[in-house]
Amino acid sequence: MRRALGVLTIILCVAVAAFGCGGLPRDVSTPRKALLGHWKNTVPGVDPDLYYSPDKVTYSRDKRASLTRSYEVTSENTAGFTLQVQFGSGVRETSTIGFSIDRNEITVLPGRVPELLKYTYVDSKQAP
């Protein structure tokens, strides 16, 4: 009985530690779910990090929120693991977001800028 209680205590401590150090694995079952979280720009000289929540993206420089915009997924391709996303209201801007095979990198092709932006997944935070 005492030994079983000791083993149970160890298992509970390991579970609590695992949850505190990152918790459950990230859900990358669909592009929409894989997009959620904190992304770091990998293009040299380009500063803002991105924080995606289900309906907003926050552009942050040096841990300060500089701009938050609403977005809507207009198309999702689970086979190619890409998204078409529209930002803002009124004059809407469309971007194409593609994921790497391991889902830890995204490429963003903004509709208004003919430049491919690259980001690496950092963590599950959806706001700075």
Side-chain angles (χ1 to χ4, degrees):
M1 175 73 172
R2 202 177 242 190
R3 184 175 182 175
L5 185 59
V7 170
L8 184 59
T9 302
I10 290 171
I11 291 172
L12 181 60
C13 288
V14 169
V16 168
F19 184 73
C21 294
L24 301 172
R26 179 172 152 235
D27 185 356
V28 294
S29 59
T30 66
R32 205 180 291 242
K33 290 178 181 177
L35 183 62
L36 302 178
H38 175 198
W39 297 87
K40 177 99 175 138
N41 198 317
T42 58
V43 176
V46 180
D47 187 32
D49 286 5
L50 303 179
Y51 293 85
Y52 278 96
S53 68
D55 62 346
K56 292 184 173 90
V57 59
T58 301
Y59 301 84
S60 176
R61 297 182 195 283
D62 300 326
K63 305 292 181 202
R64 292 173 291 160
S66 57
L67 175 67
T68 298
R69 298 175 72 187
S70 61
Y71 75 90
E72 176 186 352
V73 175
T74 58
S75 174
E76 181 174 25
N77 179 338
T78 54
F81 232 78
T82 59
L83 294 169
Q84 293 285 320
V85 178
Q86 281 192 335
F87 294 95
S89 58
V91 176
R92 297 176 63 89
E93 170 190 325
T94 302
S95 294
T96 302
I97 301 173
F99 289 81
S100 63
I101 292 172
D102 66 2
R103 311 302 185 235
N104 287 324
E105 295 179 352
I106 57 173
T107 54
V108 180
L109 181 59
R112 62 177 169 75
V113 181
E115 179 179 357
L116 194 62
L117 304 172
K118 296 182 181 188
Y119 296 87
T120 301
Y121 182 78
V122 177
D123 55 41
S124 62
K125 292 179 190 173
Q126 296 183 11

